[in-house]
Amino acid sequence: MEQQEKYQQLLRLTALWALVESGLGGMMHAFHLPFTGLVLGGFSILILSLIARGSQHVFGRVIKATLIVIAVKAAVNPFTSPMAYIAVGFQGVCAALLFSISINSRILFMVFGAITMMESAVQKLLVLTLIFGQTWWKALNAWAESVTQLFGVVTQSEGSTYIIGGYLGLFIVWGLILGNWMYYLPRQIREREQKYAHIVPEPSIETPLKTGKKTTITVFILFIFLASGLWLSTEKGALSAFMLLVRTVVVVILWIYL
């Protein structure tokens, strides 16, 4: 029973990660919001840390969750930028490798947070050089220009160097903070459970949901809704963001059912 509960918890965490990456990420890209990597990378640190904490076989479980999230992103929007897949894949592999060493090391949690956020900060630079084959200096200039424009600075001056340094520092410090927090989070949860144990209601006995025809009809309706949504013509903006969110929810529900 305990193993089943752990499995359900990992399933929910994976679904939440997929929802954040595809739904929230799609909405932020649709509205061209800044610091998308800061937000999505932060969620990835939180969820991957929790998945690693709750897994017996850390490497396999984290890689499996990563592949599921990538599959959901592809199902929601087949035209997703390759950079999004690279980010998710890097985060998952990094978590699998580091937490396979130990899940009880504060240093590893902080290193994971810092590396993940650092990759989010310089991802465009890496993609321009490794995938599109641009020279290092040309890619560096393009990346630096995009960073300074993010802060409303378009002039190439000494001040731009400080802005880029501050940008990188912001991501790294944020990653260190999240990693440190995730190391202490299980202890904080246990302390709160003990503190508020007297007000937690007794678990109620729930009647199992009937499966069969209702499940089949529900899945069929969701599938039709997803198919129609994929072919619906949308413009960039609010409607596009809404449809991405709807598609994400439908795909995640379908995945859980099937």
Side-chain angles (χ1 to χ4, degrees), residues 24 31 63 76 78 174 258:
L24 179 60
F31 288 110
I63 293 298
V76 170
W174 180 234
L258 299 178

Side-chain angles (χ1 to χ4, degrees), residues 68-90:
I68 289 173
V69 172
I70 291 175
V72 170
K73 288 179 72 69
V76 170
N77 185 6
F79 304 103
T80 300
S81 169
M83 295 176 63
Y85 298 120
I86 293 173
V88 174
F90 178 87

Side-chain angles (χ1 to χ4, degrees), residues 5-256:
E5 289 179 357
K6 285 187 176 181
Y7 176 77
Q8 291 296 329
Q9 291 173 359
L10 295 175
L11 184 69
R12 296 187 189 102
L13 287 171
T14 305
L16 177 60
W17 188 17
L19 184 63
V20 169
E21 279 289 338
S22 301
L24 179 60
M27 293 181 68
M28 294 187 71
H29 284 294
F31 288 110
H32 302 287
L33 298 178
F35 298 106
T36 301
L38 200 68
V39 176
L40 298 182
F43 271 108
S44 297
I45 292 172
L46 301 181
I47 296 173
L48 282 169
S49 298
L50 292 174
I51 291 176
R53 284 278 196 179
S55 304
Q56 292 183 343
H57 306 286
V58 176
F59 187 89
R61 177 58 63 182
V62 170
I63 293 298
K64 182 179 180 180
T66 303
L67 293 176
I68 289 173
V69 172
I70 291 175
V72 170
K73 288 179 72 69
V76 170
N77 185 6
F79 304 103
T80 300
S81 169
M83 295 176 63
Y85 298 120
I86 293 173
V88 174
F90 178 87
Q91 292 159 3
V93 171
C94 184
L97 293 175
L98 289 176
F99 294 135
S100 293
I101 300 173
S102 174
I103 58 172
N104 298 312
S105 172
R106 179 185 177 191
I107 298 298
L108 285 180
F109 273 87
M110 296 180 70
V111 168
F112 169 61
I115 292 177
T116 299
M117 296 312 303
M118 184 68 178
E119 189 276 338
S120 296
V122 301
Q123 185 183 70
K124 182 176 181 178
L125 176 61
L126 297 176
V127 169
L128 289 175
T129 54
L130 299 179
I131 296 182
F132 293 101
Q134 290 191 8
T135 61
W136 171 256
W137 290 112
K138 185 176 180 180
L140 183 62
N141 289 333
W143 174 74
E145 183 179 353
S146 66
V147 173
T148 53
Q149 288 180 352
L150 186 64
F151 292 92
V153 179
V154 294
T155 58
Q156 296 182 354
S157 61
E158 185 178 354
S160 301
T161 304
Y162 293 109
I163 291 176
I164 294 172
Y167 177 80
L168 292 175
L170 174 64
F171 274 76
I172 295 174
V173 170
W174 180 234
L176 291 172
I177 292 173
L178 290 177
N180 183 70
W181 178 43
M182 291 310 299
Y183 174 75
Y184 288 108
L185 183 61
R187 183 191 306 174
Q188 295 173 351
I189 292 175
R190 288 193 297 268
E191 291 175 352
R192 283 170 172 78
E193 285 179 346
Q194 295 175 0
K195 182 177 180 180
Y196 299 109
H198 62 286
I199 62 174
V200 176
E202 292 294 330
S204 58
I205 300 177
E206 297 180 356
T207 304
L209 294 175
K210 294 182 179 179
T211 58
K213 185 177 293 186
K214 286 186 177 180
T215 301
T216 303
I217 294 175
T218 302
V219 172
F220 179 75
I221 293 174
L222 289 173
F223 180 78
I224 295 298
F225 187 72
L226 172 63
S228 62
L230 288 174
W231 290 101
L232 181 63
S233 177
T234 59
E235 300 294 334
K236 291 184 177 180
L239 182 57
S240 176
F242 174 74
M243 286 308 304
L244 281 173
L245 180 60
V246 170
R247 292 171 189 168
T248 303
V249 173
V250 172
V251 169
V252 169
I253 294 176
L254 280 172
W255 165 63
I256 292 175

